[in-house]
Amino acid sequence: MQGPSSRRSLAGAALVAACACLAAGPSPAEEAAELRGFRIGMAVSDLPSEGYTGFACGARPETALDGWGGFRACPPDPATGLREVRFRYDDAANPLARLHDRYAGTKVGGQPVLLSLLIGEGARVEGLRIRTDPGARLFERKRAMLFGEQVKNRYGEEGWTCTDAAPEAGEEPVGGVFIKEHCDKTTADRRFSLDRWLYRRAGEDLRRFSGGTAVTILRRGG
């Protein structure tokens, strides 16, 4: 029988093995995957049938789906023609979620996020969208804009073209920091769009600031 320390060690080892964190670069076996077992270009029929829940249209979150195959119930994006399917990690399928709430929920790189697959008419995954969760706890929202640095680290610091926007009327720094950054990057087979922001409205409670990161990864030509 294993003692408490052994169980803790096994849990820690399992976490390291299971966590697909953007903060670390991909291993050779994972190089083609953007997140966990999701690879841009894979067929909808090959998407995992277990471990995920909460399927809904990204553009219409009130439209629940039975699974990946219901993507055509979601409206196509006017610009790309892709259909966005939002989903969550299923805590019931994650034994680590029962050990501590830090392992529970839908997280990437330790940050609570909203995840979507972008699916084309050919029933293939053409893109992935990750947005930090605006409903996360205060201390997690405070560091949400740092997730953008993890994205750049994961996909390479070079090649990003970034612009910084000035504050608009009524927008103020948070703790002396103001960020409204947009970045683009193109590689041989991917197009990346990254946004980071941190500011608050003048006169609002300090806890009601706006801060986060959103990244969209598209197959080039998709």
Side-chain angles (χ1 to χ4, degrees):
M1 182 177 293
Q2 296 172 339
S5 61
S6 297
R7 287 195 294 270
R8 285 194 296 270
S9 297
L10 287 173
L15 175 64
V16 171
C19 181
C21 295
L22 285 176
S27 68
E30 297 171 331
E31 205 158 347
E34 268 68 34
L35 179 70
R36 284 194 172 189
F38 298 105
R39 175 177 49 80
I40 290 177
M42 69 191 306
V44 168
S45 58
D46 291 334
L47 292 171
S49 59
E50 297 180 348
Y52 304 93
T53 188
F55 300 99
C57 294
R60 296 176 184 167
E62 70 279 5
T63 303
L65 307 176
D66 291 334
W68 311 112
F71 72 93
R72 286 193 173 89
C74 302
D77 180 84
T80 65
L82 303 178
R83 301 173 191 265
E84 181 178 358
V85 176
R86 186 173 291 182
F87 63 97
R88 304 191 308 269
Y89 295 163
D90 186 357
D91 283 345
N94 177 15
L96 295 174
R98 296 191 290 270
L99 296 176
H100 197 284
D101 64 359
R102 77 173 65 177
Y103 309 138
T106 303
K107 296 177 182 177
V108 176
Q111 185 68 37
V113 295
L114 305 177
L115 294 177
S116 297
L117 294 186
L118 306 177
I119 301 175
E121 290 303 315
R124 289 191 175 275
V125 177
E126 299 291 344
L128 172 71
R129 180 165 291 150
I130 307 173
R131 182 185 174 96
T132 53
D133 188 349
R137 290 175 289 188
L138 179 62
F139 80 93
E140 292 168 323
R141 289 193 295 113
K142 285 181 177 179
R143 58 189 177 90
M145 57 91 178
L146 297 175
F147 183 69
E149 297 303 321
Q150 292 178 273
V151 172
K152 290 180 180 180
N153 183 61
R154 168 64 171 81
Y155 292 105
E157 298 283 352
E158 300 80 18
W160 294 93
T161 300
C162 299
T163 58
D164 295 306
E168 296 180 7
E171 294 178 347
E172 295 183 346
V174 177
V177 178
F178 182 92
I179 298 174
K180 286 178 80 172
E181 178 187 64
H182 175 78
C183 300
D184 292 300
K185 178 175 178 174
T186 301
T187 64
D189 57 358
R190 295 287 185 270
R191 290 187 289 124
F192 301 88
S193 176
L194 173 67
D195 289 283
R196 297 193 309 142
W197 61 94
L198 180 65
Y199 60 90
R200 74 182 187 96
R201 297 292 178 181
E204 279 191 331
D205 187 293
L206 291 176
R207 293 172 295 180
R208 297 189 61 189
F209 62 90
S210 180
T213 296
V215 59
T216 299
I217 307 169
L218 294 173
R219 179 159 62 164
R220 192 172 179 183

